[in-house]
Amino acid sequence: MNSALVLLSFLARRGMQRGHFEHKEESFLIFATCGAGHFSQFFVNVPSFLYTFGLISVGAIGLQPVLRWYGIAPADLRWDGDNPQVMLYIFVLDATAAALNFACAWG
């Protein structure tokens, strides 16, 4: 999904440089939607990021009732076993891509 959103954003931006999307509403729709897609993937990973890197405990942010409701153990929040750097890269990429798309949408 990330690759598809980045490609769509790149092609839309290139299309704008070639005279497509003359109306602001057209480019806004594309970039705002791509930004929302990246942001939604970023946002749901915030608790996992904080928990994986020891910045919070599950009890400190009140996640235990939510985790119990969905049958998730606190340990399931931890990223990618021995190598959380892969998810950290994706996490940062999603945040950056969301910010860039939103900047293009409202820029």
Side-chain angles (χ1 to χ4, degrees):
M1 183 168 151
N2 282 334
S3 300
L5 289 173
V6 169
L7 178 62
L8 178 60
S9 298
F10 171 77
L11 293 174
R13 191 73 180 148
R14 196 168 97 184
M16 289 173 66
Q17 293 171 342
R18 295 180 177 178
H20 301 290
F21 310 114
E22 294 177 11
H23 302 287
K24 179 68 177 156
E25 295 83 12
E26 295 169 334
S27 61
F28 175 82
L29 179 65
I30 292 170
F31 289 116
T33 303
C34 287
H38 282 294
F39 184 76
S40 69
Q41 291 188 348
F42 164 78
F43 183 75
V44 298
N45 277 300
V46 169
S48 292
F49 166 76
L50 296 173
Y51 182 73
T52 299
F53 291 98
L55 302 172
I56 54 130
S57 67
V58 174
I61 57 173
L63 277 179
Q64 286 181 342
V66 175
L67 294 176
R68 268 194 302 269
W69 175 264
Y70 288 103
I72 299 171
D76 294 338
L77 288 178
R78 195 167 306 281
W79 281 342
D80 203 33
D82 296 333
N83 189 7
Q85 301 307 319
V86 172
M87 279 304 296
L88 179 60
Y89 170 76
I90 295 169
F91 181 72
V92 171
L93 179 70
D94 277 324
T96 303
L100 289 172
N101 275 285
F102 287 139
C104 287
W106 278 284

